[in-house]
Amino acid sequence: MCGIVGYLGKGQAYPALIKGLKRLEYRGYDSAGVALISEDGSLNVYKAKGKVADLEAYCADKDVSGSVGIAHTRWATHGEPCSANAHPHYSSSEKLALIHNGIIENYAVLKEKLQAKGYIFKSSTDTEVLVQLIEYMKVTNQVSLLTAVQLALGEVIGAYAIAILDKEHPDEIIAARKSSPLVVGIGADEFFLASDATPIVEYTDKVVYLEDGEIAVL
């Protein structure tokens, strides 16, 4: 089982994300990663094969500033365990970053369509297909990220819990689920996101479990 953590608030996101990933280590995993919108507006994605401690070591000399971020621990399903296949995944423009639990069953068909439109893939995961599809919907239809997520998920067959960041909207996380659990924690001027309540309980007792087919805008 992969693990999802997200944070949006007034504090620094990175410490809460790393602590949350450590709380999810019991699920087992082979790689870990984090995406942060930094104080200078950059969307930074850092990931590493191995344990959360390996990710921490990799991030030691990186810019981990920012008050919004998402993080993930991955069990390899599509593609071998390596940093390229670890989550989060960038879109082609690197304006979007996405984490995902579950399996997109029709990813090969969607990938073929996107490749025909000029999209280039850096991993062998179904997750990268989804973030590219969301960007394609956003750009070609000139719509908001929320609408793009809705349009993209309408094309998807399979199970998912996702969280996505948009560099152009640094005060927002969009999350959605179908057949894979996702919970939102509501704190004082801050929000938490996780695949189960374990990383959230020390911060707040106000939690909302998303229902199948629901999208949350934090």
Side-chain angles (χ1 to χ4, degrees), residues 2-6 24 71-73 99-101 161-163 182 193-195 199:
C2 302
I4 282 176
V5 186
L24 292 173
H72 191 266
T73 51
I99 54 177
H100 162 232
N101 289 354
I162 65 167
L182 207 54
L193 184 71
S195 39

Side-chain angles (χ1 to χ4, degrees), residues 128-206:
E128 189 185 5
V129 175
L130 182 52
V131 73
Q132 301 281 38
L133 180 63
I134 291 169
E135 179 160 277
Y136 171 74
M137 292 294 187
K138 187 173 187 283
V139 171
T140 56
N141 296 293
Q142 293 293 295
V143 293
S144 68
L145 180 62
L146 174 60
T147 302
V149 169
Q150 291 169 317
L151 290 171
L153 294 180
E155 302 280 319
V156 163
I157 299 167
Y160 53 79
I162 65 167
I164 185 165
L165 293 182
D166 182 347
K167 181 180 177 179
E168 295 176 348
H169 295 278
D171 56 351
E172 181 177 86
I173 299 174
I174 291 181
R177 68 149 287 192
K178 181 182 180 185
S179 304
S180 189
L182 207 54
V183 57
V184 176
I186 303 165
D189 297 319
E190 57 187 2
F191 292 97
F192 302 89
L193 184 71
S195 39
D196 69 43
T198 315
I200 293 174
V201 288
E202 75 172 274
Y203 300 106
T204 179
D205 57 1
K206 294 180 181 176

Side-chain angles (χ1 to χ4, degrees), residues 72-145:
H72 191 266
T73 51
R74 174 181 185 258
W75 262 127
T77 49
H78 290 88
E80 64 175 320
C82 64
S83 59
N85 287 334
H87 301 207
H89 285 284
Y90 274 129
S91 62
S92 282
S93 69
E94 298 194 351
K95 290 180 180 178
L96 305 181
L98 179 133
I99 54 177
H100 162 232
N101 289 354
I103 295 175
I104 306 301
E105 293 170 18
N106 62 334
Y107 84 100
V109 175
L110 295 170
K111 185 174 186 176
E112 207 171 274
K113 288 180 180 177
L114 289 165
Q115 284 174 323
K117 295 179 187 300
Y119 281 77
I120 295 167
F121 290 82
K122 297 177 181 175
S123 77
S124 48
T125 66
D126 54 338
T127 303
E128 189 185 5
V129 175
L130 182 52
V131 73
Q132 301 281 38
L133 180 63
I134 291 169
E135 179 160 277
Y136 171 74
M137 292 294 187
K138 187 173 187 283
V139 171
T140 56
N141 296 293
Q142 293 293 295
V143 293
S144 68
L145 180 62

Side-chain angles (χ1 to χ4, degrees), residues 14 18 34 46-47 54-64:
Y14 179 74
I18 291 295
V34 60
Y46 308 122
K47 42 196 187 176
D54 296 308
L55 175 64
E56 280 188 285
Y58 178 73
C59 289
D61 61 348
K62 305 289 192 295
D63 178 6
V64 293

